[in-house]
């Protein structure tokens, strides 16, 4: 008979059904030493549930990641939102230099451009030398492809003496200080341009507004230009720009009357009226430029 021992075998090992070296705990009471199969089945089921949950969660994250990648690919393939600007941004989705710093610009001291019309609107600012040859330089001019030969010029401070019809009274009443005339001709047609000078633009504008079809400048002939518009019907124009009112009278050097069918006469008058307006404007430009460079 073997002697009985008490407490032999050391501490009881913790049994884990998933560890091959662990031992099944001793059961208390009348245990027949067989494993607790119900407990093993319950533990196994618990672990299987945990694995399924982890798998489902992982699959969901993968689906979200794939969906995001597809959405980004679609936006890129469509070229981006046309309302949001170009889509070729860096991979970091940040625009270079788009930090919080406010861009700075070097201060500029350039003054606004001066208005040429401001210089030709009053005698106080319109101080550049003025003459008929200054407004109408050279021996000829070209407008709309037509060459007009320059004839005689005249310059008077007695405005009424160089005007006809209702114009003398209008010029005098509004303070005309000077009337310059020049004649141009081409192919049997001649036109005299008259430029009346006032102290202010308001006076010139008022004078022009008071004119009518009988307000004409006297034709100027000589120096190779035959008399014209001296008793014959002629075509006239009138306008104003700045402190200047300008007029034209055009007709045939043969003395023939001008009719509405004589389009060449009309074009001649229009060309010279436009040239006169251009010259007055250039006068303002020159003075504005000189003032800006002082």
């Amino acid at each position: 008979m073997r002697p009985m021992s008490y407490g032999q075998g050391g501490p009881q090992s913790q049994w884990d059904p998933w560890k091959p070296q662990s031992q099944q705990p001793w059961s208390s009471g009348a245990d027949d030493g067989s494993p607790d199969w119900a407990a093993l089945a319950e533990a196994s089921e618990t672990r299987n549930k945990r694995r399924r949950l982890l798998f489902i969660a992982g699959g969901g994250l993968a689906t979200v990641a794939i969906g995001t990648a597809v959405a980004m690919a679609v936006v890129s393939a469509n070229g981006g939102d046309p309302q949001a600007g170009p889509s070729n941004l860096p991979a970091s989705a940040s625009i270079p230099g788009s930090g919080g710093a406010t861009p700075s610009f070097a201060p500029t001291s350039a003054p606004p451009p001066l208005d040429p019309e401001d210089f030709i609107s009053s005698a106080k600012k319109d101080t550049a030398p003025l003459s008929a040859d200054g407004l109408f330089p050279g021996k000829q001019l070209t407008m709309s492809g037509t060459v007009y030969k320059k004839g005689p010029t005249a310059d008077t401070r007695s405005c009424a003496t160089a005007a006809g019809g209702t114009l003398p009274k209008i010029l005098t009443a509004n303070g005309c200080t000077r009337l310059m005339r020049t004649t141009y001709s081409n192919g049997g047609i001649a036109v005299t341009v008259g430029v009346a000078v006032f102290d202010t633009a308001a006076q010139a504008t008022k004078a022009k507004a008071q004119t009518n079809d009988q307000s004409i400048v006297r034709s100027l002939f000589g120096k190779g230009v035959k008399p014209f518009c001296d008793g014959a019907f002629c075509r006239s124009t009138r306008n104003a720009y700045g402190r200047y009112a300008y007029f034209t009278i055009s007709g045939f050097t043969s003395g023939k009357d001008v009719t509405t069918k004589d389009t060449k006469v009309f074009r001649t008058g229009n060309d010279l009226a436009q040239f006169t307006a251009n010259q007055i404007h250039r006068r303002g430009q020159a003075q504005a430029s000189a003032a800006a460079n002082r």
Side-chain angles (χ1 to χ4, degrees):
M1 181 180 292
R2 295 180 181 179
M4 297 181 66
S5 63
Y6 298 93
Q8 293 180 354
Q12 297 181 358
S13 61
Q14 298 296 322
W15 176 72
D16 188 340
W18 304 104
K19 293 182 180 181
Q21 301 300 327
S22 63
Q23 299 180 0
Q24 183 179 355
W26 296 98
S27 60
S28 59
D31 193 346
D32 59 0
S34 61
D36 188 347
W37 298 110
L40 290 175
E42 184 178 354
S44 177
E45 181 63 23
T46 300
R47 284 171 173 78
N48 289 336
K49 288 182 178 180
R50 290 178 181 175
R51 289 181 178 180
R52 284 196 298 270
L53 291 175
L54 290 174
F55 179 80
I56 293 172
L61 291 175
T63 301
V64 172
I66 292 172
T68 302
V70 171
M72 293 176 65
V74 170
V75 171
S76 178
N78 289 338
D81 184 354
Q83 301 299 324
S87 59
N88 55 342
L89 294 178
S92 61
S94 63
I95 302 175
S98 61
T102 302
S104 60
F105 302 92
T108 176
S109 58
L114 300 176
D115 185 2
E117 189 173 355
D118 186 44
F119 285 84
I120 56 173
S121 293
S122 70
K124 292 182 180 180
K125 298 192 70 173
D126 188 15
T127 57
L130 179 62
S131 67
D133 286 331
L135 279 178
F136 306 100
K139 295 182 179 182
Q140 64 182 33
L141 63 85
T142 302
M143 288 290 292
S144 304
T146 302
V147 178
Y148 298 98
K149 184 179 178 181
K150 183 180 175 182
T153 62
D155 189 351
T156 181
R157 294 187 181 276
S158 179
C159 300
T161 61
T166 59
L167 187 57
K169 183 177 180 179
I170 294 171
L171 296 178
T172 301
N174 288 283
C176 176
T177 61
R178 190 174 180 179
L179 181 58
M180 298 172 287
R181 291 177 296 163
T182 303
T183 295
Y184 289 89
S185 62
N186 174 273
I189 299 174
V191 54
T192 293
V193 182
V195 180
V197 185
F198 300 85
D199 287 337
T200 67
Q203 290 174 303
T205 301
K206 184 178 179 181
K208 185 265 175 184
Q210 293 175 350
T211 60
N212 53 35
D213 291 341
Q214 286 72 47
S215 302
I216 60 173
V217 64
R218 291 189 180 276
S219 62
L220 181 65
F221 45 87
K223 198 179 177 178
V225 180
K226 295 180 180 181
F228 67 102
C229 296
D230 186 15
F233 286 102
C234 288
R235 194 248 182 165
S236 64
T237 68
R238 52 199 182 275
N239 215 324
Y241 182 40
R243 69 187 188 107
Y244 302 91
Y246 54 98
F247 310 86
T248 68
I249 185 166
S250 51
F252 294 105
T253 55
S254 63
K256 184 178 66 171
D257 289 339
V258 175
T259 68
T260 57
K261 296 180 179 180
D262 295 315
T263 57
K264 190 174 180 180
V265 175
F266 281 72
R267 186 177 72 246
T268 298
N270 293 343
D271 282 349
L272 270 297
Q274 184 61 60
F275 179 77
T276 303
N278 293 347
Q279 288 297 95
I280 296 172
H281 184 71
R282 290 188 185 102
R283 176 178 174 83
Q285 285 181 317
Q287 295 181 90
S289 177
N293 293 327
R294 289 172 187 168

